[in-house]
């Protein structure tokens, strides 16, 4: 009877937990430190320098991006723009303008789908078409990639590596949620109240019918300058990390 009870308990345990690893992507089974230590994903860069990286997703946009570029230039700030491929095809002159002002271009997919449910071929197509769009518009190749919505799993990580793209997310305490147009002061408070060395700040240069991001930058940048911060591209920030062996080498 005791053996029978033991077998029943084991059977129930296997039924409940046995398939867990196969049913969930690896990213849900491992903590953030696993991916950071391997250099698979970057959320922020530990550094003693008072430098931070502003990043802008979903552009280029013919109205909002130039406004943001003007504010960045006013405060000698460099940033990284994670561009959507089909918008690069529509507004190549905006991407060229970003590069001409010393900013960096990253890959943010071609159609901005959620990558979690995409197969390998679809993910590869999204990355490749965006790389081609960037190259055609600028003559340069992106070395950084940010998946739409920050979604990742081992499949996405592997494809990024195979295509020499470093996967970049953002500091968890620096998601401004400006895409919701929450109000200029909310965006300002999110950045200023949480800033620390090596932050990667998430913003957007395409938000439908909103200029809150550029207006918030007019307050954020001079205040951070007063605190002694400087503003660099993600690649420049990565170069300040003491242990760089795990990251893909990037060039300016």
């Amino acid at each position: 009877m005791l053996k029978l009870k033991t077998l029943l308990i084991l059977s129930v345990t296997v039924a409940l937990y046995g398939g867990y690893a196969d049913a969930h992507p690896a990213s849900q089974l491992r903590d953030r430190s696993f991916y950071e230590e391997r250099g698979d994903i970057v959320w922020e860069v530990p550094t003693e320098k008072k430098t931070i990286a502003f990043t802008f997703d979903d552009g280029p946009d013919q109205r909002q991006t130039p406004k943001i570029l003007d504010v960045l230039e006013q405060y000698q700030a460099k940033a990284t723009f994670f561009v959507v491929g089909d918008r690069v095809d529509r507004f190549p002159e905006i991407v060229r303008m970003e590069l001409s002002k010393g900013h960096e271009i990253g890959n943010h997919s071609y159609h901005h789908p959620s990558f979690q449910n995409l197969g390998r071929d679809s993910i590869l197509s999204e990355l490749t078409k965006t790389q081609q769009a960037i190259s055609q518009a600028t003559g340069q190749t992106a070395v950084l990639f940010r998946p739409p919505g920050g979604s990742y799993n081992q499949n996405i990580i592997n494809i990024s590596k195979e295509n020499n793209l470093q996967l970049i997310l953002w500091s968890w305490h620096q998601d401004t949620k400006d895409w919701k147009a929450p109000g200029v002061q909310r965006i300002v408070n999110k950045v200023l109240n949480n800033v620390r060395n090596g932050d990667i700040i998430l913003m957007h240069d395409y938000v439908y019918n909103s200029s809150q991001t550029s207006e918030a930058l007019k307050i954020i940048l001079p205040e951070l300058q007063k605190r002694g911060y400087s503003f660099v591209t993600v690649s420049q920030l990565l170069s300040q990390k003491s242990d760089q062996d795990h990251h893909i080498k990037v060039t300016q």
Side-chain angles (χ1 to χ4, degrees):
M1 179 64 71
L2 181 60
K3 289 184 177 179
L4 179 60
K5 287 183 178 179
T6 301
L7 287 173
L8 286 172
I9 292 171
L10 288 172
S11 297
V12 171
T13 302
V14 170
L16 286 174
Y17 300 109
Y20 185 83
D22 293 331
H24 292 73
S27 59
Q28 294 181 5
L29 300 178
R30 294 166 173 153
D31 62 19
R32 168 175 161 174
S33 63
F34 173 83
Y35 297 102
E36 285 186 313
E37 289 171 2
R38 289 162 54 94
D40 289 342
I41 303 175
V42 176
W43 280 268
E44 57 210 13
V45 177
T47 177
E48 295 180 0
K49 297 182 179 180
K50 298 193 74 170
T51 51
I52 54 180
F54 282 89
T55 64
F56 300 90
D57 289 8
D58 296 357
D61 180 68
Q62 59 184 344
R63 295 181 180 178
Q64 297 175 43
T65 307
K67 291 180 180 179
I68 289 171
L69 289 173
D70 286 345
V71 182
L72 292 174
E73 187 171 22
Q74 183 178 352
Y75 295 99
Q76 299 82 49
K78 303 305 178 187
T80 300
F81 290 82
F82 287 95
V83 297
V84 175
D86 70 342
R87 298 189 67 83
V88 175
D89 284 337
R90 280 186 277 165
F91 309 114
E93 71 283 357
I94 304 296
V95 184
R96 289 192 288 269
M97 185 187 305
E98 291 167 351
L99 283 175
S100 71
K101 293 180 179 294
H103 304 295
E104 181 174 36
I105 306 300
N107 188 319
H108 195 44
S109 82
Y110 193 82
H111 293 111
H112 204 275
S114 170
F115 274 27
Q116 283 287 5
N117 299 317
L118 290 186
R120 179 182 176 83
D121 289 346
S122 295
I123 293 172
L124 187 57
S125 176
E126 286 286 327
L127 293 182
T128 301
K129 288 179 68 176
T130 305
Q131 291 294 80
Q132 291 171 346
I134 294 170
S135 178
Q136 185 172 350
T138 69
Q140 297 190 18
T141 302
V143 296
L144 305 179
F145 166 61
R146 174 175 286 166
S151 298
Y152 68 90
N153 54 36
Q154 194 60 52
N155 190 38
I156 296 170
I157 292 170
N158 290 342
I159 294 172
S160 299
K161 285 183 173 182
E162 291 164 12
N163 288 273
N164 296 314
L165 288 164
Q166 174 68 62
L167 204 157
I168 304 293
L169 294 182
W170 57 85
S171 304
W172 284 345
H173 56 281
Q174 288 291 9
D175 181 355
T176 65
K177 300 192 188 311
D178 59 340
W179 60 273
K180 293 183 177 182
V184 171
Q185 197 58 49
R186 282 180 177 268
I187 298 171
V188 170
N189 291 344
K190 184 64 174 180
V191 176
L192 296 185
N193 292 344
N194 297 286
V195 67
R196 61 192 186 203
N197 297 2
D199 277 352
I200 297 177
I201 298 172
L202 175 61
M203 300 182 117
H204 297 76
D205 62 320
Y206 174 59
V207 180
Y208 179 72
N209 202 30
S210 172
S211 60
Q212 290 182 9
T213 301
S214 60
E215 292 302 313
L217 284 170
K218 293 177 182 178
I219 302 171
I220 293 168
L221 293 178
E223 174 57 30
L224 289 180
Q225 275 192 344
K226 290 179 184 177
R227 299 184 191 181
Y229 286 96
S230 58
F231 319 112
V232 299
T233 67
V234 168
S235 290
Q236 290 169 336
L237 191 63
L238 284 172
S239 71
Q240 296 177 7
K241 189 175 187 291
S242 57
D243 178 12
Q244 302 173 39
D245 294 340
H246 292 156
H247 298 295
I248 295 169
K249 185 177 180 180
V250 292
T251 56
Q252 295 301 305

